[in-house]
Every structure is written in structure tokens, then in C-alpha cells.
Amino acid sequence: MSEQSAVRPEYRIEDLAHHSGATVRTIRAYQDRGLLPRPERRGRSNVYGDGHLARLRQIADLLDRGYTLASIKELLEAWDTGRGLGGVLGLVAEVQGPWTDEEAARITRAELDARFGGTPDEDAVREAVELGVLERLPGRDTEEYLVPSPQELAVAVELHAAGVPLSAITGHLRELREQVEHIAGRFLEFTTEHVFARYLEHRPPTDSDAAEAATMVRRLRPLAQQTVDAELARAMRILATRHLQIHLSPEPPPAQDEEPRPVQVPAGTIRAVQELVGAENVSAFVTAATERELNKRTLDSLAANAPDSPIVQ
């Protein structure tokens, strides 16, 4: 190795900013927070090296992954004390990676309009963008969109072809998304309590614990969807049979009483609910809890009274 190639690169702060993509102001802020080592002082100049450049790129990568600066400082301190970041970054990549094998597609506005009957609907497109069903692709000669989930768009196309208005489809998706996010949150709480808690004893986790947790994520990743698929199939079979029986019955379905009626709830129960969800959400919570209990009893009753063999094959 020649003497010239053996010389380590050195940067002024302006050069470091240019090579890292950070601003001079940001670099100084990182130094003040302890995220970036102080430069070497030579006379009146501050000199930075490749270690500073690598650290800035690490920080940028972690910020892109959603970490806060406080969390990044903890991770970098772990790195500096020899605990490593490889396992942690592997765990982050495993969690933030795609949770489906479905591949995104692209669609032009003309193709989109054609799939929904050929009549442009600006409100529906705007709502689809807000929901993330479509993502605008800027800088195109023609109006074009990225479709993160072609399956989800295909469902909307079929529902619309069957006569469901687009406004009803987007409204249903908003409601469904809230319920699915609740299910996902409960699954994460469940697995964290019973599986991942042991990997979280250290903050940040050790390199080996993080690597083992990433392996566990890969094992458990499909379980949530498999469980939801199985339970949805079970519920659809029971409830669809119930709906069919109601609509095929010679007797008209019972009239729906939509008028609200006052219900006496013990004061202690009201106080407990207020402490749990806040005073403004008491009515919604009691309604949701009542509906859940009624649905549970209906399902239990149908399951208990179901014949041993299906009537219709």
C-alpha cells in the first residue's frame, strides 16, 4: 500500500456535510447531543474522519427506520461499548419488512376508471389515496398510481360490479381497518407478553437476543393471518347460515327498533368505565361491550344448536 493510499481521509465540516447528506447545523446538533464524536482539533480547524461519516450514515439509516434520536443514542452507546448493532438492525429489518408475499402493481388513471365502469369519480380516487389503496406517482406523463395491494383493489372492483357504491366500499374499508388494527394490536400484546418479553430485558437488547428475536418473528409472522383466516371462515359460515335462514323464512324478519331507550347502569360501573376510557367515551364503550356480549351469546347458541351434519351439501 502506498503512503498516499494509507493516509486516512479527512474532512472539514462542510465536506462532511456534503458527503453525508446532512447539513452543517445538523452535524453540530448531533455533536451537542452526544450522537457524534467531537472532531480532532488542529490549530484553528476541526478535522473529521471516516468514522464520523460512517456514524452519520448510521444515524440517517436509523431515522429512516423510525427511531427517535433518543433511541438512536442508546443504540449507538451499545455499539460503542461492544454490544453491536447487527442483531438489532436485523430485528428492525425483520419487523419492518413486508408481511405479505403480494407484490405492488401500477395502474393508470384510464385503466382505473375502466375497471370501475368507465365513469371518473374524483371523490372516490381521493378517498382511495387517503386510505393508501392508491399512491400517486409524480412526474409521469399520464396520471398513474402505485397499488400496494392489487388484491384489495380487485375486491373493490368486484363489489362495485355487484352494485355496491364506491362511497359504501371506502366506508366499509375504514371500519374494517379499525377492527383489523385492533386485532393486530392484541396479537402483538399477546406475543410480546408470552414470547418476546424475555428478549426485552436489556435496552437496547443484546446482539444475540435481538438476532434470536428476529428468528422468532420469522416463525410467528404467518400465525396472525392464519388465525384470522380460520376464525373469519368460521364466523362467516355461522353468520351466513343465520342470515340465509332469516331471509328464506316464510315469516318476515322482526322489525328493527332504532329508537334509543334509557338504561340504568350502576354508578360504580360508570365511574370505572370513565377511568378506563374517559367520560366522553362512556356511551360508546357500553354500547360496544353490550353488542359484543350479544354477538357472543348468539354465536354460542347457534353452535350449541347446530345439527351434527350440514343440511345442505
Side-chain angles (χ1 to χ4, degrees):
M1 182 178 295
S2 66
E3 181 180 352
Q4 182 177 2
S5 62
V7 174
R8 294 163 54 188
E10 296 179 347
Y11 310 95
R12 297 176 304 162
I13 192 169
E14 293 82 4
D15 299 326
L16 184 64
H18 172 73
H19 286 285
S20 67
T23 65
V24 170
R25 182 178 180 180
T26 297
I27 292 173
R28 287 177 174 151
Y30 288 167
Q31 288 176 184
D32 293 340
R33 286 175 171 263
L35 292 165
L36 191 69
R38 292 286 177 179
E40 182 181 346
R41 187 74 177 178
R42 292 191 189 165
R44 296 184 177 181
S45 301
N46 289 326
V47 178
Y48 298 83
D50 271 349
H52 295 91
L53 181 59
R55 177 56 58 89
L56 286 171
R57 288 172 175 168
Q58 281 181 334
I59 295 172
D61 179 62
L62 291 168
L63 286 172
D64 288 341
R65 295 173 185 267
Y67 280 83
T68 64
L69 288 177
S71 298
I72 291 173
K73 184 176 181 181
E74 290 184 358
L75 289 171
L76 294 177
E77 287 174 350
W79 172 273
D80 291 338
T81 56
R83 279 192 280 164
L85 273 178
V88 172
L89 295 182
L91 175 59
V92 171
E94 193 66 46
V95 171
Q96 294 185 343
W99 284 68
T100 175
D101 295 332
E102 188 178 14
E103 295 184 2
R106 295 185 179 187
I107 191 170
T108 65
R109 177 58 189 271
E111 293 169 337
L112 184 65
D113 291 342
R115 293 187 67 179
F116 286 93
T119 302
D121 190 327
E122 299 300 330
D123 290 338
V125 172
R126 176 181 52 78
E127 284 198 87
V129 171
E130 289 178 359
L131 287 166
V133 177
L134 300 174
E135 297 178 7
R136 298 185 188 276
L137 293 174
R140 306 280 170 173
D141 294 335
T142 59
E143 191 175 353
E144 191 172 354
Y145 298 89
L146 180 71
V147 185
S149 174
Q151 292 179 1
E152 192 170 51
L153 182 63
V155 169
V157 170
E158 290 298 327
L159 289 173
H160 185 259
V164 182
L166 287 175
S167 59
I169 294 173
T170 54
H172 175 70
L173 178 57
R174 290 182 190 275
E175 180 182 355
L176 178 64
R177 183 166 293 180
E178 290 181 1
Q179 296 169 346
V180 171
E181 287 178 357
H182 173 72
I183 293 172
R186 290 292 297 119
F187 187 81
L188 289 173
E189 292 171 3
F190 171 78
T191 53
T192 297
E193 178 183 357
H194 296 286
V195 179
F196 292 104
R198 61 180 178 269
Y199 302 115
L200 304 176
E201 295 177 355
H202 303 94
R203 290 181 57 86
T206 64
D207 203 49
S208 59
D209 279 352
E212 188 175 345
T215 301
M216 190 63 68
V217 170
R218 284 193 294 274
R219 287 179 55 190
L220 299 183
R221 181 192 297 270
L223 298 188
Q225 183 171 349
Q226 290 171 4
T227 302
V228 171
D229 287 347
E231 285 301 308
L232 179 61
R234 183 190 65 84
M236 286 298 294
R237 175 180 59 81
I238 294 173
L239 297 181
T241 300
R242 176 189 173 195
H243 276 266
L244 184 63
Q245 291 172 345
I246 291 174
H247 289 286
L248 293 184
S249 171
E251 299 295 330
Q256 297 292 325
D257 185 1
E258 300 294 339
E259 289 296 323
R261 296 180 179 180
V263 177
Q264 295 295 327
V265 179
T269 301
I270 294 295
R271 286 195 297 270
V273 173
Q274 286 179 343
E275 293 176 358
L276 182 65
V277 299
E280 69 278 11
N281 295 318
V282 168
S283 177
F285 182 90
V286 172
T287 300
T290 303
E291 290 176 349
R292 183 172 67 176
E293 179 63 22
L294 290 174
N295 288 334
K296 179 179 181 300
R297 293 188 181 189
T298 299
L299 293 175
D300 290 343
S301 176
L302 288 170
N305 297 326
D308 294 335
S309 59
I311 297 175
V312 180
Q313 297 291 337

